[in-house]
Amino acid sequence: SLRSIFRVPVLKEVIIVDNGSADSSRKQLISFLNTAEITNYSKFCTSVKLILLPRNIGFSNAVNAALKVLNPYSKFIMVVNDCIVDGNGISHLIRYLQRINIIGCIQGKILQFNDRIDSAGCVLSELGDWLKIGHGLASRLLTFPYIITYAHAACFLCRRECFEKPSKHFFIFGDDFEFGPRLYAKGYIVLSYPIVAGVHYGSATALFNKRCS
């Protein structure tokens, strides 16, 4: 996942948060950042910051920790540690986000490892039920952009000011499904664009820890 983020061919700041890992993840992370391999990606990175949290404070609080040290860029890519991003897809989404100011948040097609769609955006019903659009469909389908209720937190792009306007205290209010409606309330839209943004292996870290316990 980290290698794929470093390889995205745009200038960026990379902020890595270790959320109180109790296994060997932290040791492997530090080892990777100290290898010569990291210099191969330096032309795409303005800086790399590492935050080591003493305990697991939850997903949203961990992202909040990253936001506190984030430079004031107009875009922010949020990727969980079980998503391998597609550099060309992410670059395309950034350009699209730059051109259309009303888009507050955008995502591409997030695939499963079997080349089928995991999520091409998400919707909420009037009863509060949530649904991942396109889940299980072939990756070649869904070839047009469309408005969605919210973007899947495995991989999305959002304007920097969108994080600050809903609330200065919270990132996604505990989950991604509530962040989208708050953006609409502020005058933005959330868009799904028909390009592959990455491959998601849901709960990979949790499954790894369970096998090792």
Side-chain angles (χ1 to χ4, degrees), residues 64 67 160-174 178-179 182-183 186 188:
N64 277 333
L67 286 174
R160 167 65 184 254
E161 62 265 26
C162 290
F163 290 125
E164 297 171 341
K165 286 185 178 180
S167 170
K168 65 180 180 180
H169 299 296
F170 297 101
F171 169 60
I172 49 176
F173 303 88
E178 195 174 349
F179 184 53
R182 289 178 184 267
L183 288 181
K186 295 295 181 179
Y188 295 102

Side-chain angles (χ1 to χ4, degrees), residues 4-205:
S4 69
I5 296 169
F6 280 114
R7 289 170 183 156
V8 175
V10 296
L11 284 177
K12 58 190 172 294
E13 177 185 36
V14 178
I15 302 174
I16 306 164
V17 180
D18 180 279
N19 200 4
S21 296
D23 56 10
S24 61
S25 300
R26 180 170 294 189
K27 182 178 179 180
Q28 294 178 28
L29 172 61
I30 295 173
S31 176
F32 169 71
L33 293 177
N34 287 329
T35 62
E37 180 183 357
I38 200 70
T39 62
N40 297 331
Y41 314 120
S42 59
K43 64 180 179 179
F44 296 132
C45 295
T46 58
S47 66
V48 178
K49 298 175 182 177
L50 175 61
I51 300 173
L52 301 175
L53 298 175
R55 60 184 178 86
N56 190 318
I57 60 176
F59 176 71
S60 296
N61 286 327
V63 179
N64 277 333
L67 286 174
K68 290 179 180 178
V69 299
L70 180 68
N71 286 331
Y73 298 146
S74 61
K75 296 163 293 290
F76 176 68
I77 300 175
M78 192 280 298
V79 184
V80 297
N81 62 354
D82 48 7
C83 186
I84 300 173
V85 301
D86 183 291
N88 291 328
I90 295 297
S91 299
H92 191 96
L93 292 175
I94 290 173
R95 292 193 295 270
Y96 202 78
L97 189 62
Q98 286 174 325
R99 293 200 303 267
I100 305 177
N101 293 331
I102 197 173
I103 300 175
C105 186
I106 190 170
Q107 80 158 78
K109 287 189 279 191
I110 301 169
L111 305 184
Q112 306 173 50
F113 276 90
N114 59 6
D115 201 39
R116 291 190 172 273
I117 296 173
D118 180 29
S119 170
C122 303
V123 294
L124 277 176
S125 73
E126 293 179 349
L127 298 177
D129 297 323
W130 61 272
L131 172 69
K132 290 195 292 186
I133 299 171
H135 183 73
L137 296 180
S139 60
R140 67 179 184 278
L141 301 178
L142 301 178
T143 58
F144 51 89
Y146 48 85
I147 292 175
I148 54 179
T149 308
Y150 65 96
H152 194 285
C155 180
F156 69 76
L157 287 84
C158 188
R159 297 182 186 280
R160 167 65 184 254
E161 62 265 26
C162 290
F163 290 125
E164 297 171 341
K165 286 185 178 180
S167 170
K168 65 180 180 180
H169 299 296
F170 297 101
F171 169 60
I172 49 176
F173 303 88
D175 215 329
D176 44 9
F177 67 85
E178 195 174 349
F179 184 53
R182 289 178 184 267
L183 288 181
Y184 280 102
K186 295 295 181 179
Y188 295 102
I189 66 171
V190 184
L191 191 78
S192 177
Y193 193 82
I195 194 168
V196 174
V199 179
H200 182 223
Y201 184 19
S203 303
T205 303

